[in-house]
Amino acid sequence: MGIPFQVSLQNLFERVSNPLIEFFHHDGRQWTDDHELKWQCYASGQMTGADLEHEIVADPGFADYVKSREQHLH
């Protein structure tokens, strides 16, 4: 009897709590799919650093998005 697979209590807690935190966490930022697409282009090498800088200057919302994504890179 018991659980048929190995799962730690911490793993279970993280799997339940992380989606809930993301669901209730709202800091007022509104990012679009376009921001995600631009970031993916940069991350995949299709966009140069100069292109990224141009997009950041043109769209302040994208600049905020890039700042939030840089935390995941470091």
Side-chain angles (χ1 to χ4, degrees):
M1 303 256 128
I3 299 174
F5 51 87
Q6 288 287 38
V7 110
S8 69
L9 185 57
Q10 179 181 358
N11 187 5
L12 179 63
F13 180 74
E14 288 174 357
R15 293 187 74 166
V16 171
S17 66
N18 287 344
L20 289 174
I21 290 169
E22 291 295 321
F23 180 76
F24 289 108
H25 180 72
H26 179 43
D27 55 7
R29 294 183 235 177
Q30 296 297 319
W31 295 318
T32 65
D33 291 338
D34 188 44
H35 292 153
E36 177 67 23
L37 179 63
K38 288 177 188 177
W39 178 257
Q40 291 300 325
C41 286
Y42 174 70
S44 68
Q46 297 173 6
M47 180 186 292
T48 66
D51 293 334
L52 181 67
E53 289 296 323
H54 175 73
E55 293 294 335
I56 288 172
V57 170
D59 183 359
F62 183 58
D64 291 338
Y65 181 81
V66 169
K67 287 178 188 173
S68 74
R69 296 299 291 187
E70 286 177 342
Q71 295 173 3
H72 299 294
L73 295 177
H74 299 292

